Amino acid sequence: MSAVKVALVGASGETGQSIVNGLLGSQDTKFDIVALTRPESLEKPANTNLKERGVKIVPADLRGPQDEIVKLLSGIDIVISAIYFGSLADEVLLANAAKIAGVKRFVQSAFMIILPPRGVVDFREQKENNLGHIQSLHLPYTYIDVGWWYQLTLPRLPSGRIDYALPKTQDNQVIGLDGNIPSALADIRDVGRYVARIITDPRTLNKKVHVYNEIYTRNQVYEVLERHSGEKIPREYISENEVNTRIEEARTALNKNHKDGDALSTFTVSQLFRSWGIRGENTPEYAAYLGYLNGKDLYPDFEFTKFEDYVKEVLEGKVKGVYQTKK
């Protein structure tokens, strides 16, 4: 069987790395991967590492001449975009070139929690606009959302024991409402393995797909970590009004200075938190309401990492954190 040729944008990011791992480790399909990277990033350590693993690294300026991108995508079966959310406008240019090149499936940069298409999280609206553009091109696509990562889920312990595994920019987490809002979770290490199954599945062509590992409330997350760590974690609950205030204050700061990184981080994280931690939208039920296919139905044999096992790994010092450097 010939290999499936995949072009990946954003291969060095957290999601991109998981996708590379999933494709290279697939037991069902052989994938040949071409990573499209900005010319100035060609020699970065992350790309060097990818090259050593058999990934072809190709410089590509998505804002450059379209015929150059079309040429790079010639013969490619599947394009996967794991592009940074601040560069989503470039995805439209990538989709245009993919259509001309005859790409068989385009996977845009979704890979998020389940969110309403509009009205709740600003950058989700840009993703919806991009999907609308893809559909206007009649470009075959698959839209994949993957749950809230385990790696972003744990609160800090009073001892600081697990700080090594938490994002450097993550403050002590607050709990929405009474802490009993369910949320679909997934291990980032499993995301790429899900993607490897989804992108070659004819059932997922021109569909939205929701994959996740398990469902937990914030109270349950705290209880699991407390039980295995032996530490009592302070709990700070927050109302919807308080979250809305944070969002509006950050929006005001961004209106004054759109380059304010702290305000952008607060704005984005708070909008996401309002959706999954207050409104309770990151669930299989809401995904079904929005028309997603359920990964549990598609791949009942998928062996995922259980949340409790992840917690044990963290406490044993065995995991690699995400977003380990401040931007």
Side-chain angles (χ1 to χ4, degrees):
M1 181 183 297
S2 60
V4 175
K5 296 181 180 179
V6 175
L8 175 60
V9 176
S12 62
E14 300 290 353
T15 300
Q17 290 178 60
S18 179
I19 292 172
V20 169
N21 292 340
L23 298 186
L24 292 179
S26 174
Q27 301 298 309
D28 303 312
T29 307
K30 177 175 173 52
F31 294 97
D32 284 344
I33 309 172
V34 176
L36 305 185
T37 187
R38 291 175 299 177
E40 61 270 24
S41 301
L42 201 58
E43 301 303 324
K44 284 190 175 181
N47 284 325
T48 300
N49 177 262
L50 289 171
K51 192 183 302 183
E52 291 171 352
R53 299 180 62 195
V55 176
K56 184 179 180 182
I57 309 298
V58 176
D61 180 4
L62 298 183
R63 299 183 184 182
Q66 184 182 72
D67 58 348
E68 293 296 325
I69 306 302
V70 171
K71 191 181 301 182
L72 292 176
L73 298 182
S74 179
I76 293 293
D77 298 305
I78 301 169
V79 169
I80 302 176
S81 170
I83 203 166
Y84 171 61
F85 79 90
S87 301
L88 285 172
D90 293 349
E91 199 170 66
V92 170
L93 305 174
L94 182 65
N96 291 342
K99 174 64 177 180
I100 296 170
V103 167
K104 298 172 185 175
R105 189 183 305 225
F106 189 94
V107 182
Q108 74 178 90
S109 182
F111 309 114
M112 270 300 304
I113 58 175
I114 297 298
L115 297 165
R118 302 190 185 280
V120 176
V121 175
D122 285 22
F123 75 76
R124 177 62 179 84
E125 298 189 12
Q126 181 62 59
K127 293 181 185 237
E128 191 67 17
N129 290 341
N130 286 7
L131 176 59
H133 181 75
I134 290 163
Q135 292 171 328
S136 76
L137 296 173
H138 296 216
L139 177 62
Y141 72 92
T142 301
Y143 190 101
I144 305 171
D145 276 327
V146 300
W148 193 248
W149 300 347
Y150 291 172
Q151 287 76 6
L152 301 175
T153 295
L154 298 181
R156 299 188 185 281
L157 289 175
S159 66
R161 179 180 171 188
I162 65 171
D163 283 3
Y164 83 95
L166 304 180
K168 297 302 182 186
T169 55
Q170 178 175 305
D171 297 322
N172 282 328
Q173 291 170 273
V174 293
I175 302 173
L177 304 181
D178 62 358
N180 292 320
I181 306 298
S183 183
L185 307 179
D187 193 314
I188 183 60
R189 297 171 296 183
D190 291 332
V191 167
R193 297 174 53 236
Y194 281 120
V195 170
R197 296 282 292 271
I198 293 167
I199 62 175
T200 57
D201 188 341
R203 297 173 297 177
T204 63
L205 188 64
N206 302 326
K207 303 291 184 182
K208 291 183 179 180
V209 183
H210 179 219
V211 289
Y212 65 97
N213 289 2
E214 297 180 297
I215 307 292
Y216 272 80
T217 67
R218 292 303 294 155
N219 284 336
Q220 290 171 332
V221 166
Y222 276 61
E223 288 162 7
V224 169
L225 184 54
E226 287 177 335
R227 183 168 68 251
H228 288 285
S229 69
E231 298 186 40
K232 186 68 176 176
I233 309 169
R235 305 194 188 193
E236 179 188 349
Y237 296 88
I238 190 170
S239 69
E240 184 169 7
N241 284 340
E242 290 173 296
V243 175
N244 287 338
T245 297
R246 289 186 180 186
I247 291 170
E248 291 313 311
E249 288 177 349
R251 191 191 301 274
T252 299
L254 285 172
N255 287 338
K256 293 179 180 177
N257 177 13
H258 70 278
K259 294 183 179 180
D260 185 335
D262 290 339
L264 177 61
S265 177
T266 298
F267 180 71
T268 303
V269 170
S270 297
Q271 281 197 323
L272 289 170
F273 178 78
R274 179 175 60 185
S275 179
W276 69 260
I278 301 286
R279 294 166 59 98
E281 289 159 335
N282 183 39
T283 66
E285 292 77 16
Y286 189 59
Y289 168 76
L290 294 177
Y292 284 73
L293 300 179
N294 189 316
K296 299 294 187 189
D297 297 330
L298 294 171
Y299 314 112
D301 61 328
F302 188 93
E303 296 183 2
F304 58 82
T305 305
K306 294 181 179 179
F307 178 69
E308 197 149 353
D309 290 338
Y310 173 76
V311 170
K312 293 176 184 177
E313 283 187 272
V314 171
L315 291 168
E316 292 168 1
K318 294 181 177 179
V319 307
K320 174 184 177 294
V322 298
Y323 304 130
Q324 290 292 291
T325 57
K326 292 186 178 181
K327 294 186 178 181

